[in-house]
Amino acid sequence: MRRGRRAIIAACMFLAVAAAPAAALAQTVDELYASGVKARQAQNFDEAADLLRRALALKPDNADALVQLGFAELGRNDLPAAREAFSKALSLAPAYLDASFGMAQIEFRSGNLDAALPLAEKVSGAEPGNTDAAALVANIRKAQQATRRAKPAAATARNKPRPPRPDPVAGLMGEGRRLRASGQLPEAEKAYRRALGLAPKDTDILVALGLVVGSQQKFDEAGHFFDQALAIRPGLLDARLGKVRLAIWQGDLPGARAKIDDVLGTAPENVEALGLDARISLLEQDYARAEQSFQRVLAIDPRNAEALVGIGDVRRARGDDAAARDAYRQALALEPGSRDIEQRLAAPPPRKWRLDLGSEVSDLTDGLGDWTDSSAGLAYRLTPRTTISGRTRVATRFGHTDVQIEGRIDQAFSPTVSAYALAAATPDADFLARYSIGAGASWQIVAPAKAFGPFALNVDTRYDDFANAEITTISPWVQAYVLDGRLGFSARWVHAADDIGTQADGYVLRADLAVTPSINVFGGYADAPEISDGTLVPTRTVFGGVSWDVTDPLTLRASLAHEQRPTFDRTIFGLGMTTRF
C-alpha cells in the first residue's frame, strides 16, 4: 500500500515539474513590457531590447511589444532587426500605425525614399496631430527634391561662385541632435565628439556629450563631461541638471536629491528642475512632494503635457487608477497621438488581490507514516505601501490534525526599507504552537544595476508558545543578485533558544536562477535547528524546486526536499499556485 502511494506521489511530482516549472522571481509580461518601454524612453536601447524580447518569449503574438522592440532596434541602428519586428507586428495587426511609422523610418534611413513616403503619409493622414509623422513626411520630400536636383546642380556647380561655408560646429551639433532624437546614440556621440574637437571649450557640446554618453550608461565619462563644462562656466544650469539626471540613471537617489535641492535653491522656477524634482520624489515614494512639484510646473506652463503625465504617475502610484487615467487623458489632449501616453492609458488596472495555495506531503522513514501540510492564503494590497494578508494552515502528524490561523501586515517605509509583523494562533493545538508572533525587516543597501544588485540586509524574529515549551528564533540574512538580477544568492544564520536554556544555531544557503523570463529554479542546503512539537531538532536539509509563470496572473510551483534528523529521515514533496486578481 505504501509503495503504491509513493509511486503516485512521485508520478504527480514528475508531471508537476515537467508541466509547471515557474519563476517566482521572474517578471510578468506586463512588467517586462512596461520596463522595456521605460528603458527605451530613457534611450537605454540595449536594455530595452533585452526586456522586450523576454516579454515576447512569453507572448510571441504581442504586437505592442513587437513595435516597441522595433523602435528599440532603431535606436541601436539595427535596421534588419527593426524591420523584422515591425513586419511581424504588421502581420498580426495590419492597421497598426506605429508599425507603419517604424517601417517608414527604416525605408528612409535605407535610402528607399519612394517606399518610405507612402508609409509616412499613411500615418500622417490617419493621425493629423502626429508631429513625428509629419516631420518624417517633410524630410522624405526634401530628400527626394535634393536627389532630383543633385545631377543638374553637379553639372552647373563649376560655373557658380561658392556659397559661404557653413559653421561646421553648428552643423555637427544639429546632426547630433537629430541622431539623438531618432535614437542613434552612438552616431550622435560621434557627431558631438567631432564638434568638440573643433570647439573644445564649448559648454553646450560638453553638456550634450554628457547626456548622450550617460544615456548609454557610460556614467563615469558623462560625469567627466559635466565637470568640464562646470569648470569652464561654474554654476552652468544645464550641466548641473545633467548631473542630477546622471545620479537618477545610476540609482543614486540621495545624490540626486541633494543635487536637485541645490539647483532649486538658485533656480526655483525652472521648469526642467521642477520636473526632475518631481520625478525624484516619485522614486522616493514622496507622492505629496512629487504632485506639488508637477503642479508648480503647470502653474508656470499650463500646457505642459509631461507634468500632467507625471501627476497621472503619482496618482497611479497611490493606487488611484481612475484619477491617473483622467490626468493621462488631459495630457493626450495636449499631445494627440503620443505613444507614451497611450501606453499608460492602455495599461490594465493594478491587481490588488493575491491567492496562494500550497500542499506538502512528507514521507518518513522507519515506518513512521506520512505527514501532510496544506495552506491557503489571501492578500490584499491596501495601499501601494501596505499589504494585509491572512492564511489558514492544516497540518497532520501521527494521526493528529492542527489548524492554524495567521494574520500579517507588510509595510514599505521607503523604496529601500520595509518591515512586516504577524500573529498566529492554533486552537486546541496538538503539535503546532498555541500562538506565535513574529516580525522582520529588510534594507536594500545597493540598488539594482546591470552587473550587481540589488543587495539587501534582512532579519526575521519569531516567538512560539507550545504546550510544553517557549521558543524564540532570530534569523539575520543577506540577499544579493548578479547578472542583471537573474541569479540570486542568500545566506541565513538561524539562532533558536527555548525557555529552559537550550540553544541551537545553524545556517541556510540558497540560490535562485531565472532560466527564462517565466521559469525560475532554486536550490539550497540547510544545517539548522527545526522546531518539532516544541523541541529543537538538529536537521540537515537539501532542497530545490521550480516555478513557472503560466500567464501574467498565474504562477505554479513544485518543490522537493530531503531532511536528515537524528531519529528519522523525511522527504517532502510540495505543489503550489499563486493567482493575482
Side-chain angles (χ1 to χ4, degrees):
M1 191 69 180
R2 169 173 301 281
R3 187 174 302 167
R5 183 183 301 172
R6 290 181 181 174
I8 291 171
I9 292 171
C12 290
M13 285 304 304
F14 176 81
L15 290 174
V17 172
L25 299 182
Q27 294 171 288
T28 65
V29 174
D30 289 344
E31 290 169 340
L32 288 165
Y33 175 78
S35 299
V37 171
K38 186 180 293 185
R40 185 188 68 77
Q41 290 167 347
Q43 300 188 354
N44 299 327
F45 298 114
D46 290 341
E47 179 184 357
D50 176 63
L51 289 165
L52 291 164
R53 289 190 185 280
R54 288 164 62 187
L56 286 164
L58 297 176
K59 192 175 181 182
D61 60 348
N62 189 327
D64 292 329
L66 284 166
V67 168
Q68 290 297 324
L69 176 60
F71 286 120
E73 296 294 2
L74 274 177
R76 300 202 295 184
N77 203 31
D78 190 341
L79 299 187
R83 184 186 295 276
E84 180 183 3
F86 288 129
S87 296
K88 287 182 180 179
L90 287 169
S91 68
L92 294 169
Y96 204 142
L97 291 177
D98 285 349
S100 296
F101 180 70
M103 290 296 288
Q105 286 187 308
I106 291 171
E107 300 296 357
F108 178 53
R109 294 192 196 181
S110 303
N112 303 324
L113 303 180
D114 292 338
L117 184 58
L119 289 168
E121 287 178 334
K122 173 186 174 182
V123 178
S124 182
E127 298 180 343
N130 190 330
T131 56
D132 292 337
L136 181 58
V137 169
N139 289 335
I140 294 171
R141 288 174 177 166
K142 287 179 183 177
Q144 287 178 326
Q145 292 172 2
T147 301
R148 295 189 192 103
R149 290 196 301 265
K151 289 184 179 179
T156 58
R158 288 187 294 271
N159 301 321
K160 289 185 178 182
R162 292 184 178 181
R165 186 174 180 180
D167 180 1
V169 173
L172 289 167
M173 286 292 287
E175 181 185 359
R177 284 190 292 270
R178 178 184 63 79
L179 291 167
R180 185 184 175 202
S182 65
Q184 301 179 69
L185 298 186
E187 292 77 9
E189 180 184 345
K190 290 177 183 177
Y192 287 140
R193 287 187 183 277
R194 288 167 58 196
L196 187 65
L198 298 173
K201 299 294 183 180
D202 190 314
T203 54
D204 289 339
I205 302 174
L206 288 167
V207 170
L209 259 173
L211 292 172
V212 79
V213 301
S215 297
Q216 299 174 78
Q217 298 190 347
K218 294 186 272 188
F219 299 133
D220 291 341
E221 197 171 2
H224 177 67
F225 285 125
F226 293 138
D227 288 338
Q228 277 188 288
L230 288 169
I232 297 168
R233 290 179 57 189
L236 179 64
L237 184 59
D238 286 345
R240 294 166 69 195
L241 291 173
K243 298 202 76 168
V244 174
R245 293 185 184 279
L246 181 59
I248 295 173
W249 292 336
Q250 291 177 292
D252 180 12
L253 288 185
R257 166 56 61 204
K259 289 178 175 62
I260 198 62
D261 287 346
D262 182 57
V263 170
L264 289 171
T266 57
E269 301 302 314
N270 182 273
V271 169
E272 185 180 356
L274 287 169
L276 284 172
D277 174 73
R279 286 295 168 188
I280 294 167
S281 300
L282 191 56
L283 292 170
E284 294 171 328
Q285 298 183 3
D286 186 349
Y287 303 132
R289 176 166 179 167
E291 186 160 13
Q292 181 183 32
S293 294
F294 283 130
Q295 292 288 4
R296 287 176 63 189
V297 172
L298 287 174
I300 299 169
D301 180 9
R303 295 186 59 81
N304 192 303
E306 185 177 350
L308 282 168
V309 171
I311 289 173
D313 291 345
V314 171
R315 292 172 178 174
R316 180 163 280 176
R318 282 173 167 161
D320 191 347
D321 193 67
R325 292 177 183 278
D326 182 60
Y328 295 147
R329 291 188 191 99
Q330 294 180 52
L332 192 62
L334 295 175
E335 290 190 2
S338 168
R339 291 187 294 275
D340 181 37
I341 302 172
E342 288 174 347
Q343 286 160 3
R344 281 173 162 83
L345 281 168
R351 296 183 175 92
K352 293 189 175 184
W353 292 91
R354 189 186 74 244
L355 174 65
D356 294 286
L357 300 175
S359 184
E360 293 181 349
V361 177
S362 299
D363 183 24
L364 277 58
T365 59
D366 298 330
L368 294 177
D370 294 337
W371 290 356
T372 64
D373 205 329
S374 301
S375 65
L378 186 64
Y380 176 70
R381 193 178 64 166
L382 193 62
T383 71
R385 292 189 177 192
T386 306
T387 299
I388 57 175
S389 59
R391 187 177 75 123
T392 300
R393 177 187 176 191
V394 180
T396 64
R397 304 283 190 275
F398 305 119
H400 297 282
T401 299
D402 278 355
V403 178
Q404 187 178 73
I405 300 172
E406 178 185 295
R408 172 171 169 150
I409 182 169
D410 290 78
Q411 179 70 36
F413 298 102
S414 74
T416 59
V417 178
S418 61
Y420 74 88
L422 63 84
T426 309
D428 300 322
D430 286 313
F431 51 87
L432 294 181
R434 294 182 296 184
Y435 69 87
S436 305
I437 56 174
S442 177
W443 176 31
Q444 181 182 288
I445 60 174
V446 177
K450 271 285 186 184
F452 179 79
F455 180 82
L457 303 178
N458 313 274
V459 64
D460 296 309
T461 61
R462 188 178 179 101
Y463 169 81
D464 295 295
D465 181 86
F466 291 87
N468 59 344
E470 299 174 15
I471 297 179
T472 302
T473 306
I474 300 175
S475 181
W477 55 292
V478 297
Q479 187 175 40
Y481 289 87
V482 295
L483 302 178
D484 199 16
R486 291 190 294 272
L487 179 60
F489 300 96
S490 66
R492 179 189 296 265
W493 177 63
V494 180
H495 174 75
D498 63 18
D499 54 340
I500 61 172
T502 305
Q503 297 188 24
D505 295 285
Y507 62 90
V508 181
L509 303 176
R510 170 170 168 151
D512 290 81
L513 175 64
V515 180
T516 72
S518 64
I519 296 176
N520 181 77
V521 297
F522 68 89
Y525 176 77
D527 187 352
E530 287 282 338
I531 302 173
S532 182
D533 198 12
T535 303
L536 296 175
V537 179
T539 307
R540 293 181 179 179
T541 309
V542 178
F543 60 90
V546 63
S547 60
W548 176 29
D549 286 336
V550 182
T551 63
D552 178 35
L554 178 63
T555 297
L556 300 180
R557 300 182 300 276
S559 62
L560 177 65
H562 181 74
E563 292 182 355
Q564 290 182 330
R565 299 188 175 201
T567 55
F568 60 84
D569 288 356
R570 176 187 176 200
T571 302
I572 309 164
F573 305 92
L575 292 174
M577 63 164 284
T578 296
T579 183
R580 307 160 192 87
F581 54 96

